[in-house]
């Protein structure tokens, strides 16, 4: 009985399921008769402040994100466009700031030795510029001195290559090889003749580029001197143009950003030193000879440009050894460079940069690529410090202090915590601590008066008139509570 009941129930379920399928099909295929419909009132349409809710929530969120994203992209595009228009000013300022980070420790040390600020700035500037000029001069002079020997060896290698083509497995005819070389020379000559105007215009652009480089160097040195001499005064002058509530947050965020840049420059200098030492040792072992010192200097200077500098200087080292010692020496030099780069990327860079710059390597790679595309070598040099600075500043302004120890240090750059308003007051008068204290007391008094005035606002004229009338009236009237009426 139970089995029969179960079978009947299953059959009934299948029949009911099939009837439902047929009913749904008939409903979907049913065509309404529009001629027999009765008139009805139109649906209620809300045209008011809440009519936006008729749009889907997801569509509204997507639209909000879209227009805000477009506004941000437009603002960034305008900023980049403005920077490109004033690049003759922006690039020297950025380079001067980076050089200030390098020379600031020497400048502060000289001031601790009671050397006047102007004289210490001049000494720091001369020492820094002298070191850079000396390194560039040594590198270029050594390369120029060894270039003729390299060209002779390169010519010998070219002759060996031609001999291999004729005597080696290819067995090419000597006359055929000379014919190909003659045709190649003729094509190069025809190309130069055809595009001589373009070459001339390119030469003019190179000349203008040289003039632009000289102008950039001069402006950078001029700005560097005043950044060393009057850097704090320039910053306080910028701070005092901000609204009072924004001064301290911006000052604290800038201190942390400057500390980040300082750590980045020092860490990059250590990494550059390690790269130059180990790669130059490898070049010396392989027989670079007199080229070892210029290679070390080039690698040290180039290492300050992330990724691009290491690749360029490494390629120069490989090329020199290829021309001087042959193919195998160049391959071994390439292996040495790759090994040093791996040690730098996996050991030195995380150890030194983790505490200085909180940036992911992917952010560095993409930033360097974008900076190189937008501004060439200068963009590759400046993009990582700029990203690191704004990363630290934005983190602090959004409530994430990456350097909480700076909030209790009194020997930090930018002055002790909580003294920014005193520094602004002192910048107006340029006096002693006593004069600054007077200005601060006056500002505090005016702040208290404004607070009291805000807490008890002045009454309107009608209320004053009413108060006067009450005061002039009988004593019983003046004791009457405000707002009550006599019967």
């Amino acid at each position: 009985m139970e089995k029969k009941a179960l079978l009947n129930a299953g059959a009934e379920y299948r029949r009911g399921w099939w009837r439902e399928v047929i009913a749904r099909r008939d409903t979907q295929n049913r065509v309404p008769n529009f001629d027999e419909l009765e008139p009805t009132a139109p649906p209620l349409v809300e045209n008011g402040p809440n009519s936006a809710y008729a749009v889907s929530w997801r569509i509204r969120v997507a639209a909000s994100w879209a227009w805000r994203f477009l506004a941000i992209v437009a603002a960034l595009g305008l900023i980049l466009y403005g920077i490109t228009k004033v690049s003759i000013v922006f690039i020297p300022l950025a380079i001067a700031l980076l050089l200030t980070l390098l020379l600031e420790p020497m400048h502060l040390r000289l001031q601790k030795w009671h050397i006047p600020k102007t004289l210490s700035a001049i000494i720091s500037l001369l020492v820094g510029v002298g070191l850079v000029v000396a390194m560039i001069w040594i590198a270029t002079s050594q390369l120029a001195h060894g270039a003729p020997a390299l060209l002779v060896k390169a010519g010998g290698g070219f002759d060996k290559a031609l001999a291999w083509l004729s005597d080696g497995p290819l067995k090419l005819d000597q006359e055929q090889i000379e014919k190909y070389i003659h045709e190649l020379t003729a094509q190069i000559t025809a190309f130069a003749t055809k595009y001589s105007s373009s070459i001339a215009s390119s030469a003019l652009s190179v000349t203008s580029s040289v003039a632009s480089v000289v102008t950039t160097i001069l402006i950078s040195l001029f700005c560097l001197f005043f950044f060393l001499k009057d850097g704090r005064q320039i910053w306080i002058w910028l701070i005092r143009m901000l609204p009072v509530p924004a001064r301290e947050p911006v000052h604290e965020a800038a201190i942390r950003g400057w500390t980040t840049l300082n750590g980045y420059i020092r860490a990059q200098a250590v990494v550059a030193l390690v790269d130059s030492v180990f790669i130059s040792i490898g070049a010396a072992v392989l027989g670079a000879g007199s080229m070892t010192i210029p290679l070390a200097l080039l690698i040290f200077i180039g290492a300050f440009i992330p990724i691009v500098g290491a690749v360029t200087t490494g390629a120069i080292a490989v090329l020199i050894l290829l021309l001087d010692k042959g193919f195998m020496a160049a391959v071994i030099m390439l292996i040495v460079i790759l090994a040093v780069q791996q040690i730098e990327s996996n050991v030195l860079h995380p150890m030194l940069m983790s505490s200085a710059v909180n940036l992911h390597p992917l952010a560095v790679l993409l930033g360097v690529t974008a900076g190189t595309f937008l501004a060439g070598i200068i963009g590759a040099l400046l993009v990582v410090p700029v990203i690191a600075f704004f990363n630290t500043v934005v983190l602090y302004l959004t409530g994430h202090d990456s350097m909480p120890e700076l909030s209790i240090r009194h020997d930090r750059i930018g002055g002790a915590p909580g003294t920014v308003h005193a520094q602004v007051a002192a910048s107006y008068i340029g006096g002693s601590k006593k004069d600054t204290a007077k200005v601060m007391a006056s500002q505090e008094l005016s702040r208290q008066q404004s607070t009291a005035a805000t807490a008890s606002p002045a009454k309107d004229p009608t209320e004053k008139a009413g108060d006067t009338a009450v005061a002039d009236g009988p004593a019983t009237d003046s004791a009457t509570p405000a707002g009550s009426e006599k019967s």
Side-chain angles (χ1 to χ4, degrees):
M1 292 292 293
E2 293 180 358
K3 183 176 181 181
K4 186 175 181 180
L6 290 174
L7 292 174
N8 292 335
E12 185 63 26
Y13 172 78
R14 288 191 294 273
R15 285 194 294 271
W17 173 79
W18 181 249
R19 292 194 198 98
E20 184 178 356
V21 171
I22 296 299
R24 289 181 181 180
R25 186 198 62 185
D26 295 342
T27 302
Q28 292 175 357
N29 295 332
R30 187 180 301 161
V31 178
N33 189 352
F34 295 105
D35 296 330
E36 296 180 358
L37 297 178
E38 296 293 333
T40 58
L44 180 62
V45 178
E46 185 176 10
N47 295 317
N50 296 326
S51 61
Y53 289 98
V55 182
S56 171
W57 174 81
R58 293 178 178 83
I59 299 298
R60 283 187 281 115
V61 172
S64 300
W65 273 100
W67 74 260
R68 286 176 172 86
F69 177 75
L70 291 176
I72 292 172
V73 170
L76 291 177
L78 288 176
I79 292 173
L80 292 176
Y81 178 77
I83 290 174
T84 57
K85 289 300 180 182
V86 294
S87 60
I88 193 64
V89 175
F90 176 78
I91 292 176
L93 280 176
I95 295 174
L97 285 173
L98 291 180
L99 294 177
T100 303
L101 287 165
L102 289 172
L103 300 180
E104 188 180 41
M106 183 190 304
H107 176 60
L108 296 177
R109 176 63 62 183
L110 291 174
Q111 285 185 299
K112 288 182 180 179
W113 292 345
H114 304 290
I115 297 177
K117 186 184 295 185
T118 302
L119 183 58
S120 65
I122 293 174
I123 294 173
S124 302
L125 179 62
L126 292 178
V127 171
V129 173
L131 287 175
V132 174
V133 172
M135 287 192 297
I136 295 175
W137 180 80
I138 292 172
T140 54
S141 62
Q142 291 291 329
L143 288 175
H145 179 72
L150 287 177
L151 292 177
V152 170
K153 290 185 178 181
F158 182 72
D159 293 336
K160 290 181 181 179
L162 293 180
W164 181 83
L165 289 175
S166 59
D167 301 333
L170 298 179
K171 299 294 183 182
L172 296 179
D173 188 12
Q174 187 69 26
E175 295 181 357
Q176 189 176 7
I177 295 174
E178 292 178 357
K179 179 181 176 182
Y180 289 151
I181 294 175
H182 180 71
E183 291 179 355
L184 179 62
T185 306
Q187 290 179 2
I188 293 174
T189 305
F191 178 83
T193 304
K194 182 178 180 180
Y195 295 99
S196 57
S197 59
S198 300
I199 294 173
S201 62
S202 300
L204 292 176
S205 65
V206 169
T207 305
S208 62
S209 300
V210 171
S212 176
V213 168
V214 173
T215 304
T216 301
I217 292 173
L218 293 177
I219 296 175
S220 300
L221 295 177
F222 188 79
C223 295
L224 175 59
F225 171 74
F226 283 103
F227 286 163
L228 289 173
K229 178 180 176 292
D230 300 324
R232 178 75 69 84
Q233 288 85 343
I234 294 172
W235 172 248
I236 296 300
W237 176 76
L238 293 173
I239 282 291
R240 73 187 190 186
M241 291 192 295
L242 298 176
V244 174
R247 289 175 181 174
E248 188 164 1
V250 172
H251 182 67
E252 295 293 327
I255 288 175
R256 283 151 178 81
W258 188 258
T259 305
T260 298
L261 289 180
N262 203 345
Y264 168 78
I265 290 295
R266 292 183 181 181
Q268 197 66 29
V270 173
V271 170
L273 181 62
V274 172
D275 285 352
S276 63
V277 168
F278 284 98
I279 293 177
S280 60
I281 289 175
V285 171
L286 291 173
S290 62
M291 293 295 177
T292 303
I293 294 178
L295 280 178
L297 294 177
L298 287 176
I299 291 168
F300 179 78
I301 296 173
F304 282 93
I305 304 175
I307 301 173
V308 177
V311 172
T312 304
T313 54
I316 293 174
V318 172
L319 178 61
I320 289 176
L321 284 173
L322 176 63
L323 296 177
D324 192 10
K325 298 297 179 180
F327 180 75
M328 288 304 300
V331 171
I332 297 174
M333 188 72 249
L334 179 61
I335 294 173
V336 171
I337 292 173
L338 293 178
V340 172
Q341 291 296 325
Q342 288 299 316
I343 294 173
E344 173 205 326
S345 302
N346 298 317
V347 179
L348 283 178
H349 202 277
M351 287 175 58
L352 297 174
M353 291 293 184
S354 59
S355 59
V357 182
N358 188 18
L359 291 179
H360 194 274
L362 181 61
V364 175
L365 176 61
L366 295 179
V368 170
T369 304
T372 306
F373 175 76
L374 294 174
I377 296 177
I378 296 296
L381 175 65
L382 299 179
V383 67
V384 176
V386 169
I387 294 174
F389 178 84
F390 281 104
N391 178 55
T392 304
V393 168
V394 171
L395 282 177
Y396 180 82
L397 294 178
T398 53
H400 303 281
D401 189 0
S402 59
M403 303 175 186
E405 68 277 1
L406 291 179
S407 60
I408 58 175
R409 284 184 56 184
H410 290 266
D411 59 342
R412 64 180 189 174
I413 192 74
T419 61
V420 61
H421 299 294
Q423 295 181 50
V424 170
S427 69
Y428 282 108
I429 59 176
S432 61
K433 293 182 179 180
K434 187 176 181 180
D435 298 330
T436 304
K438 291 181 181 179
V439 174
M440 293 297 295
S442 175
Q443 290 182 354
E444 182 64 25
L445 179 62
S446 63
R447 190 180 297 110
Q448 291 177 359
Q449 291 176 352
S450 63
T451 303
T454 305
S456 56
K459 298 180 180 180
D460 57 8
T462 57
E463 291 178 348
K464 290 182 179 179
D467 293 341
T468 305
V470 170
D472 294 338
T476 55
D477 293 341
S478 63
T480 305
S484 63
E485 297 180 358
K486 294 182 180 181
S487 58

